[in-house]
């Protein structure tokens, strides 16, 4: 079930997204980019989803937005870059400091993962590592993985 997104930030323009991509040093996967243009962050309702292996449920407190605050997509990506696998970009947070991330390159591009902040990959470790679990093979599949409460 695709969640409704509430409490979104002011709309982001294509030019602002391009600037965010430049700051991130990458091109956002197309489906996620389209999501940001429609919903710049926000709270999903329902907020629970299952991992690809059926475990969970996990939850999303907020999708990250493109803005200049410290809780924005670009700022949090920079803060957590040393702790996340090189292929991952945080796109949403749960209530406990964990992140939903999207793959940004290679065979992981567009795949969605759930990252537990208590763990981090070893240098060169392939996905998934111990703290990173596959949620969905695509951003669209992730949005369809939300379940009613």
């Amino acid at each position: 079930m695709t969640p409704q997104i509430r409490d979104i930030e002011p709309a982001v323009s294509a030019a602002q997204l391009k600037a965010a991509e430049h700051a991130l040093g990458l091109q956002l996967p197309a489906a996620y980019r389209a999501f940001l243009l429609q919903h710049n962050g926000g709270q999903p309702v329902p907020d629970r989803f299952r991992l690809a292996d059926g475990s969970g449920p996990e939850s999303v407190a907020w999708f990250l937005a493109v803005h200049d605050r410290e809780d924005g997509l670009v700022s949090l990506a920079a803060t957590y870059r040393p702790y996340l696998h090189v292929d991952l970009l945080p796109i949403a947070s749960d209530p406990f400091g964990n992140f939903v991330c999207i793959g940004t390159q290679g065979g992981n591009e567009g795949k969605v993962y759930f990252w537990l902040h208590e763990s981090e990959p070893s240098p060169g470790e392939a996905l998934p590592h111990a703290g990173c679990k596959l949620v969905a093979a695509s951003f669209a599949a992730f949005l369809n993985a939300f379940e009613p409460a």
Side-chain angles (χ1 to χ4, degrees):
M1 144 178 238
T2 302
Q4 293 181 339
I5 309 298
R6 298 183 178 161
D7 299 323
I8 62 174
E9 294 288 332
V12 63
S13 69
Q16 288 170 307
L17 265 185
K18 191 80 162 159
E21 288 174 325
H22 181 72
L24 292 165
L26 56 84
Q27 186 171 359
L28 298 171
Y32 176 59
R33 192 174 205 286
F35 175 83
L36 284 171
L37 287 169
Q38 184 177 9
H39 309 284
N40 187 21
Q43 181 180 24
V45 177
D47 66 350
R48 298 199 182 282
F49 63 92
R50 295 210 174 264
L51 303 178
D53 66 7
S55 64
E58 302 297 343
S59 66
V60 169
W62 293 99
F63 281 99
L64 304 181
V66 175
H67 54 60
D68 293 333
R69 297 191 314 258
E70 65 184 27
D71 63 346
L73 177 68
V74 173
S75 179
L76 283 174
T79 299
Y80 284 92
R81 176 61 29 226
Y83 307 104
L84 288 169
H85 189 279
V86 67
D87 287 359
L88 296 181
L89 175 70
I91 61 170
S93 64
D94 79 354
F96 309 107
N98 302 308
F99 286 110
V100 174
C101 300
I102 195 163
T104 60
Q105 53 188 316
N108 292 312
E109 184 174 353
K111 292 181 181 179
V112 177
Y113 293 89
F114 185 66
W115 176 71
L116 298 168
H117 73 288
E118 292 90 2
S119 61
E120 55 189 81
S122 300
E125 186 176 18
L127 285 174
H129 63 78
C132 186
K133 309 237 182 217
L134 181 67
V135 175
S138 69
F139 187 71
F142 167 60
L143 291 178
N144 287 322
F146 283 79
E147 320 178 321

